[in-house]
Amino acid sequence: MSKKILLVLNTDPPPRLGRLTGRTRILHTDESSLAEHLPHADVLLVWDFTSRAVREAWPGEGPRPRWVHTASAGVDHLMCPELASSDTLVTNARGVFDQPIAEYVAALVLTWAKDLPQTGELQRAHEWRHRETQRVAGTRAVVVGSGPIGQAIAGTLRALGITTALVGRTPRSGIHGPDDLDRLLSRADWVIAAAPLTETTYGMFDARRFGIMQPSARFINVGRGPLVVEDALVEALSRQWIAGAALDVFDREPLPPDDPLWDVPGLVVSPHMSGDTVGWRDELGAQFVELYELWEAGKPLPNVVDKKRGYVPGH
């Protein structure tokens, strides 16, 4: 019986797949040769989850892998009509990033509430200036996106005493539906975008939505860049429709050095790092090895993406 071929769309450092050594044939490829190798692979591991090469290479001729796994929570970077309509199984890295992203959001909330950036500036200036800061307990948050990441964010904010509403695709116990979003936004102190990128969420935070928010509200996007109309956010900040914002994801990544977003007053820019803690690559590699062993044994896989919806259903 011939060994299965695992094709890895690579980036540095490569994944650690030690337990699979000798059991499967592992081929590494980059964007330029992905299309050439796809017809020969049984499994594709999209380790370079910033690449859009899968979307471009998948519609080509010949057989395609029976299973694609992406080392990311989002799948919009690899999904194309041909993959969505195929029999290929798609899984994601759900579970690895949930709590780290929740901690990152909580850090931003506390940083703003306790005015830590100005404390640092005043220390560098050797200036003693007493101020009063905001109490977070008793404030209100809206988390848009009811998957594991959104639920982890909501749980962490609630632990700080923040009254938190979770908004998902459909209303159910403990989760609001889209029809409640505008009402919740109008009363929120903190608005967190953690939704997957789909046809219904693309550009959902636009000028109208920023206009609904309170002047004291602060907005955080740890979901996908295109959830936000960036020009509308810039206008909202410049007109002081909202008090501040933080973006960890963008329409273009990496953000070019000359992009005006770097210099927008009231905007915190971070380089898509909210879920990346020390050892995260090893966690992703270990997760994939566990999934591969299930697949190899013919057992059902967790984290199966609904390719039409663009996310793992169930939340």
Side-chain angles (χ1 to χ4, degrees):
M1 184 175 178
S2 61
K3 293 179 181 178
K4 302 296 184 186
I5 297 178
L6 167 60
L7 182 63
V8 182
L9 178 57
N10 225 15
T11 185
D12 288 327
R16 295 184 180 182
L17 304 173
R19 289 212 308 262
L20 302 184
T21 301
R23 291 166 44 185
T24 187
R25 185 181 173 198
I26 302 174
L27 300 178
H28 294 268
T29 186
D30 58 17
E31 294 182 346
S32 64
S33 56
L34 176 63
E36 174 188 344
H37 291 300
L38 269 182
H40 311 291
D42 297 289
V43 179
L44 172 64
L45 168 57
V46 185
W47 188 249
D48 183 2
F49 52 81
T50 64
S51 171
R52 294 182 174 268
V54 176
R55 298 179 65 169
E56 298 170 6
W58 195 271
E61 304 219 351
R64 288 295 179 260
R66 291 178 286 157
W67 170 35
V68 174
H69 177 79
T70 178
S72 61
V75 298
D76 50 281
H77 60 290
L78 57 85
M79 203 59 65
C80 61
E82 291 81 3
L83 175 55
S85 62
S86 72
D87 294 331
T88 295
L89 196 69
V90 175
T91 56
N92 72 355
R94 176 178 165 188
V96 173
F97 302 106
D98 307 353
Q99 193 56 36
I101 292 177
E103 293 171 3
Y104 198 86
V105 169
L108 285 167
V109 168
L110 291 171
T111 295
W112 275 319
K114 303 309 175 185
D115 199 21
L116 296 183
Q118 189 173 23
T119 296
E121 292 173 8
L122 293 172
Q123 180 179 350
R124 285 189 290 273
H126 297 190
E127 182 178 349
W128 181 281
R129 188 192 304 170
H130 183 269
R131 288 116 54 222
E132 295 177 348
T133 61
Q134 182 181 7
R135 183 189 300 226
V136 297
T139 59
R140 300 185 183 200
V142 176
V143 180
V144 182
S146 60
I149 291 174
Q151 293 197 23
I153 293 170
T156 302
L157 296 182
R158 287 172 184 146
L160 295 173
I162 300 173
T163 301
T164 305
L166 197 56
V167 179
R169 184 172 180 266
T170 55
R172 51 208 183 274
S173 178
I175 298 175
H176 295 268
D179 291 345
D180 292 335
L181 180 56
D182 288 355
R183 175 179 59 81
L184 293 168
L185 289 179
S186 68
R187 301 188 301 170
D189 301 288
W190 319 100
V191 178
I192 298 94
L197 183 62
T198 67
E199 291 182 0
T200 58
T201 62
Y202 190 97
M204 69 182 301
F205 289 99
D206 54 12
R208 187 187 70 81
R209 287 250 160 82
F210 289 122
I212 289 172
M213 297 179 195
Q214 298 184 98
S216 59
R218 290 184 170 93
F219 173 79
I220 301 170
N221 186 14
V222 289
R224 311 301 287 175
L227 297 176
V228 177
V229 179
E230 292 176 350
D231 288 345
L233 176 59
V234 171
E235 181 181 18
L237 290 168
S238 64
R239 293 177 178 268
Q240 297 184 337
W241 293 350
I242 60 175
L247 298 180
D248 186 55
V249 286
F250 301 85
D251 277 335
R252 292 188 297 168
E253 294 184 9
L255 194 66
D258 59 350
D259 194 292
L261 286 174
W262 289 107
D263 300 310
V264 175
L267 178 62
V268 176
V269 171
S270 60
H272 204 149
M273 59 180 281
S274 61
D276 301 346
T277 52
V278 175
W280 66 285
R281 291 182 179 87
D282 290 342
E283 287 187 57
L284 288 171
Q287 180 190 54
F288 175 74
V289 169
E290 291 178 4
L291 292 178
Y292 188 93
E293 290 175 338
L294 290 174
W295 178 81
E296 191 177 43
K299 297 180 180 179
L301 295 182
N303 296 8
V304 175
V305 173
D306 183 320
K307 294 183 291 182
K308 303 296 184 184
R309 296 182 182 180
Y311 55 89
V312 178
H315 290 281

